[in-house]
Amino acid sequence: MEKIAYVNGSYVPHSEAKVSVFDRGFLFADGIYEVAAVLEGKLIDNASHLARLKRSVGEIQLALPETLERIEQIQKELIKRNDLVNGMVYLEVTRGADKGRDFPFPKADVKPTLVMFTSEKDIINAASAKTGINVITVPDIRWTRRDIKSVALLAQVLAKQAAAEAGAGEAWMIEDGKVTEGGSSSSFIVTQDDVIVTRQNGSEILPGCTRKAVVKLAEERQLRIEERAFTIEEALAAKEAFITSASVFVQGVVAIDGKPVGNGKVGPMSARLREIYVEFAKATAV
């Protein structure tokens, strides 16, 4: 049976899910998106994702066409209609479709576009959770407001394509000699004295929802956290490295640019934080 998407108030088969050629998301990347994980048919850490959605649209003066409560209802309805057990729910809101192509915001009577769809993914049992991933490094060529979860993702597309061509699972982006973040993830290292290091939030990185949860869970267990930038040299000298995101949870990094991190295997801290996050995810799912 064909999967169902949500487009501007209607639930439609994917083959019928369409937006205007004049939609500003298509023409200008004038929009915001979010992705929430689904485990056992329930949304994971969704309140955090919706709060970030609200902040991002506010930063670009884009009004949501539905309340956050209504958006969550639609997410849950899509999970139900698509019989989704494990996977993701994607949503995108754009500034809508005007009558042509003009850079300034359209008039107030142009309604924002809201689309959502689901995809299947078994995050818990992913093979890479045990084997770890290699990452490569690329220059960070993005704009300066990376804290906004914009649909303008061309720089990340190029970074992820470079990783794919290199047989790597992620690309870490480098600016001024320091790691900002991954192409679609937050970056962490574990130092030789067991300090967990991740870049502090700011306009240089997206405030990751999974990152936020993992930092909090680590602090609750009296693990030492330092929020600061780090270099690739520090990462290669570290005991462990890992990434976090809604699509991988906590994923160990075993090599950077072909050079091993630690003993070249997923470290115990990374593995334990993954277990802790999965426990949290299952306990708080809605």
Side-chain angles (χ1 to χ4, degrees):
M1 183 178 294
E2 190 173 0
K3 297 297 183 182
I4 301 298
Y6 174 92
V7 181
N8 292 331
S10 299
Y11 294 94
V12 295
H14 281 191
S15 61
E16 298 176 20
K18 298 176 176 65
V19 296
S20 169
V21 69
F22 294 113
D23 192 275
R24 291 177 63 90
F26 173 68
L27 294 177
F28 298 113
D30 187 0
I32 300 298
Y33 77 102
E34 272 296 337
V35 183
V38 175
L39 280 184
E40 299 171 359
K42 294 183 177 181
L43 290 159
I44 303 303
D45 204 13
N46 199 47
S48 184
H49 287 280
L50 293 179
R52 185 172 62 181
L53 171 67
K54 182 178 180 180
R55 178 188 180 276
S56 288
V57 296
E59 290 296 303
I60 66 168
Q61 303 171 52
L62 171 56
L64 286 172
E66 301 285 356
T67 65
L68 296 182
E69 292 75 15
R70 176 59 182 150
I71 287 173
E72 183 167 282
Q73 290 174 358
I74 298 166
Q75 290 173 305
K76 291 179 177 179
E77 183 64 21
L78 279 176
I79 291 169
K80 180 180 177 181
R81 291 188 183 220
N82 289 303
D83 296 321
L84 183 65
V85 179
N86 298 308
M88 319 294 297
V89 179
Y90 176 91
L91 75 85
E92 180 173 329
V93 57
T94 80
R95 214 176 300 273
D98 209 348
K99 296 178 181 179
R101 183 181 183 274
D102 195 11
F103 282 85
F105 295 171
K107 293 183 176 63
D109 62 348
V110 174
K111 188 175 181 180
T113 294
L114 177 63
V115 299
M116 300 188 208
F117 60 82
T118 66
S119 59
E120 296 180 0
K121 183 174 184 179
D122 188 354
I123 304 172
I124 296 290
N125 298 307
S128 58
K130 294 182 178 180
T131 62
I133 60 168
N134 183 17
V135 303
I136 64 165
T137 58
V138 298
D140 197 333
I141 60 174
R142 298 173 297 166
W143 73 323
T144 58
R145 290 302 310 276
R146 302 158 193 166
D147 55 305
I148 299 171
K149 199 168 177 65
S150 163
V151 297
L153 294 170
L154 184 55
Q156 290 93 317
V157 167
L158 295 175
K160 300 287 274 191
Q161 178 61 23
E165 291 174 359
E170 178 60 297
W172 276 6
M173 295 179 283
I174 311 297
E175 184 175 60
D176 298 329
K178 303 290 180 67
V179 177
T180 50
E181 58 190 335
S184 61
S185 63
S186 302
S187 305
F188 291 75
I189 60 172
V190 181
T191 67
Q192 291 296 331
D193 53 351
D194 293 324
V195 177
I196 302 166
V197 181
T198 186
R199 190 166 185 134
Q200 69 276 19
N201 280 330
S203 61
E204 302 85 5
I205 67 169
L206 181 73
C209 294
T210 310
R211 172 200 177 280
K212 177 182 177 181
V214 168
V215 167
K216 182 179 179 181
L217 291 166
E219 289 175 339
E220 288 173 352
R221 287 156 179 79
Q222 282 73 55
L223 299 174
R224 290 182 293 168
I225 302 284
E226 284 185 13
E227 294 189 82
R228 62 170 177 82
F230 61 85
T231 65
I232 288 299
E233 289 72 26
E234 283 185 272
L236 288 170
K239 268 187 182 180
E240 304 178 32
F242 62 92
I243 61 172
T244 62
S245 76
S247 60
V248 301
F249 294 165
V250 180
Q251 169 68 71
V253 171
V254 298
I256 302 170
D257 290 331
K259 300 174 183 177
V261 176
N263 64 3
K265 297 180 180 180
V266 175
M269 182 79 80
S270 304
R272 180 57 184 147
L273 286 171
R274 180 180 176 84
E275 292 173 355
I276 291 169
Y277 182 80
V278 170
E279 291 168 4
F280 154 81
K282 290 182 176 180
T284 59
V286 295

